[in-house]
Amino acid sequence: MSLPDLQTLEALLIDAASTELLPRLHHVSAGQKADGSLLTEADLSLQQYLITALAEITPDISVLGEELSPEVQQAMLADAEQGVWCLDPLDGTRNFACGFPVFAISLALIRHGKVELGLVYDPLRRECFSATLGQGAWLNGEPLSGQAETSLDSALALIDFKRLPLDLAQRLATSAPYPSQRSIGSGALDWCWLAAGRVQVYLHGRQHLWDYAAGQLILTEAGGQAVTLQGEPVFINQLQTRSIVAGCNSAIFLQWAKWLGINRQD
């Protein structure tokens, strides 16, 4: 089966955001899930909208959405012979609920044990990041080719401190190898901003499959690299959460991994 057309998928995400997400931005009704994270009406409406639309475009491919139960998610990932869409309808839900302008829709096609397509759409900036395995990555149709080599001591870092091991968080707080860091609250956009060279290194202690599936493909197709804190590949076609160590290009990734004491194991 041929891959779905990226332009069709980009148009779908843009339409979904315009129809189901942005009209709710300043009228958010939110509840709390069992893990303490927020769930809004926008999450559920977007998920159903996209499940319905994707079924028309690719009727043989099921949709693994963040808001489905873990049992359903695992069964879909294991049994999908034609592939499975991995969807986060609203990445950055707490940002969205608070009116903080950083959130996105993330969609990836997983097939034959690999991520073959990835799209992340930021509706407020009207930026659609996309990638096809082995063919490159793009931002609004323009190629993402990575960033010129730079050194760790001049890098801007994206660091999610709250999910890191305590000793590592303390080390970074007292003796970081970079001059400044940020945290924007959207894992999918973290990957994309790294791919675009807006930041140079990235560290996250725990992400779900739907947080990283599309973004990691976009980063690697743009010339970046990523592993876990254990030096393992991030994507393993499983639901278990994964830590992230990444750089916008090979040179700075190696500097970052060396400082962290990571030996790549793939």
Side-chain angles (χ1 to χ4, degrees):
M1 184 179 70
S2 61
L3 291 175
D5 179 65
L6 272 182
Q7 291 183 332
T8 299
L9 296 171
E10 288 175 5
L12 171 60
L13 298 191
I14 292 169
D15 184 62
S18 176
T19 303
E20 300 295 330
L21 182 59
L22 293 181
R24 293 182 167 91
L25 178 55
H26 300 296
H27 309 280
V28 178
S29 176
Q32 194 164 338
K33 295 190 280 189
D35 63 0
S37 60
L38 289 183
L39 178 66
T40 71
E41 180 185 1
D43 291 90
L44 298 173
S45 297
L46 261 173
Q47 177 168 273
Q48 189 54 56
Y49 184 97
L50 289 167
I51 287 175
T52 300
L54 287 167
E56 296 178 1
I57 298 171
T58 55
D60 295 329
I61 303 177
S62 56
V63 180
L64 188 161
E66 180 188 2
E67 308 310 335
L68 301 176
S69 72
E71 295 78 14
V72 171
Q73 291 169 341
Q74 185 60 62
M76 294 173 70
L77 193 62
D79 297 338
E81 294 183 4
Q82 301 295 324
V84 61
W85 289 113
C86 184
L87 169 67
D88 189 344
L90 179 51
D91 181 77
T93 297
R94 191 170 296 275
N95 284 355
F96 178 80
C98 294
F100 188 77
V102 183
F103 48 84
I105 304 171
S106 179
L107 180 68
L109 176 62
I110 301 172
R111 191 165 55 174
H112 309 307
K114 298 178 181 179
V115 182
E116 296 190 351
L117 288 178
L119 300 99
V120 175
Y121 179 56
D122 176 347
L124 293 184
R125 292 164 188 79
R126 297 181 181 179
E127 291 186 333
C128 191
F129 299 85
S130 61
T132 301
L133 182 63
Q135 298 183 31
W138 303 271
L139 168 54
N140 291 345
E142 295 296 322
L144 285 171
S145 56
Q147 181 170 319
E149 292 186 7
T150 186
S151 61
L152 187 57
D153 62 9
S154 62
L156 179 60
L158 271 178
I159 311 292
D160 187 299
F161 276 94
K162 74 176 182 179
R163 297 177 178 87
L164 294 179
L166 180 59
D167 58 342
L168 177 54
Q170 290 175 333
R171 184 184 174 202
L172 287 165
T174 58
S175 57
Y178 45 74
S180 190
Q181 80 278 323
R182 305 287 186 268
S183 181
I184 62 173
S186 169
L189 286 178
D190 287 344
W191 287 98
C192 294
W193 288 15
L194 187 64
R198 296 171 185 174
V199 294
Q200 289 74 52
V201 293
Y202 182 39
L203 183 64
H204 199 292
R206 186 178 72 251
Q207 283 191 352
H208 292 281
L209 177 63
W210 45 86
D211 296 320
Y212 66 77
Q216 186 191 5
L217 179 66
I218 291 166
L219 174 67
T220 54
E221 288 293 326
Q225 293 190 39
V227 295
T228 68
L229 281 165
Q230 293 73 40
E232 301 169 346
V234 176
F235 178 78
I236 55 171
N237 202 33
Q238 298 289 331
L239 282 178
Q240 68 189 71
T241 57
R242 308 292 280 169
S243 57
I244 314 295
V245 175
C248 66
N249 57 46
S250 298
I252 201 164
F253 168 80
L254 291 174
Q255 296 174 51
W256 185 215
K258 181 180 180 179
W259 189 88
L260 291 164
I262 295 170
N263 295 313
R264 194 162 191 161
Q265 297 181 23
D266 55 3

